[in-house]
Amino acid sequence: MANSTEETVFISEVPLKQAVSGPSADEWREAIASEIRSIIKNDTWIITERPKNQKVIGSRIVLRNKYGHDGALVRRKARLVAKRFAQRPGTDFCETFAPVARIGSVRTIMAIAAENGMTVNQFDITTAYLYGILEEKVFMELLE
């Protein structure tokens, strides 16, 4: 249910070279540093020797400006991502899974809450994907 504090966010990706050489370079460097700190804090990976005869996936930083409903810049966001397009289904992985709520489930919860005069709180976990557990070993190339 919408309320007066709800914010619509528009996102636009920014090329890395442009970001770190432009007038907002310090803000982008801080966004990248924040992402790396989060990865280290959450023990997302272990740095190891490159294994022989093992496929290694590349990585890159994705930079995005996030804008509010009024078009004003809300924040700069950096994410370290695996170049998953280099992986082959059935060989490098067997399934993908993203835990998201179906809109029908959200509507049902909202209807029950409205019917019973309950308050519903929503929050976003910015590093939610870091809590997924992989059964297979994945080797990813560090950024240069």
Side-chain angles (χ1 to χ4, degrees), residues 59 141-144:
S59 64
E141 190 79 37
L142 289 175
L143 290 171
E144 294 180 8

Side-chain angles (χ1 to χ4, degrees), residues 3-132:
N3 62 42
S4 61
T5 62
E6 184 176 315
E7 202 173 285
T8 303
V9 178
F10 301 99
I11 301 173
S12 65
E13 191 169 337
V14 177
L16 181 61
K17 286 181 183 179
Q18 176 186 331
V20 297
S21 64
S24 303
D26 289 340
E27 293 174 27
W28 285 116
R29 285 188 185 96
E30 176 52 34
I32 293 167
S34 176
E35 171 71 354
I36 300 302
R37 282 192 301 269
S38 177
I39 288 169
I40 292 168
K41 178 184 171 205
N42 289 295
D43 290 326
T44 303
W45 62 25
I46 298 168
I47 297 177
T48 185
E49 292 294 320
R50 185 182 185 122
K52 290 180 175 29
N53 303 320
Q54 179 70 45
K55 184 171 185 171
V56 177
I57 302 165
S59 64
R60 73 181 190 109
I61 289 281
V62 175
L63 302 174
R64 294 196 170 151
N65 282 316
K66 294 187 80 175
Y67 298 96
H69 67 282
D70 60 354
L73 180 68
V74 174
R75 68 184 178 118
R76 305 202 191 276
K77 183 176 178 180
R79 287 291 177 250
L80 177 64
V81 299
K83 293 181 179 177
R84 192 157 176 133
F85 58 82
Q87 293 182 297
R88 294 183 318 258
T91 302
D92 300 314
F93 64 94
C94 295
E95 62 183 40
T96 59
F97 177 72
V100 295
R102 293 182 54 207
I103 191 67
S105 300
V106 172
R107 287 183 180 145
T108 301
I109 289 170
M110 297 305 284
I112 292 169
E115 182 71 26
N116 292 295
M118 301 167 80
T119 301
V120 177
N121 294 310
Q122 182 272 334
F123 63 95
D124 183 24
I125 301 173
T126 58
T127 57
Y129 75 96
L130 296 178
Y131 297 101

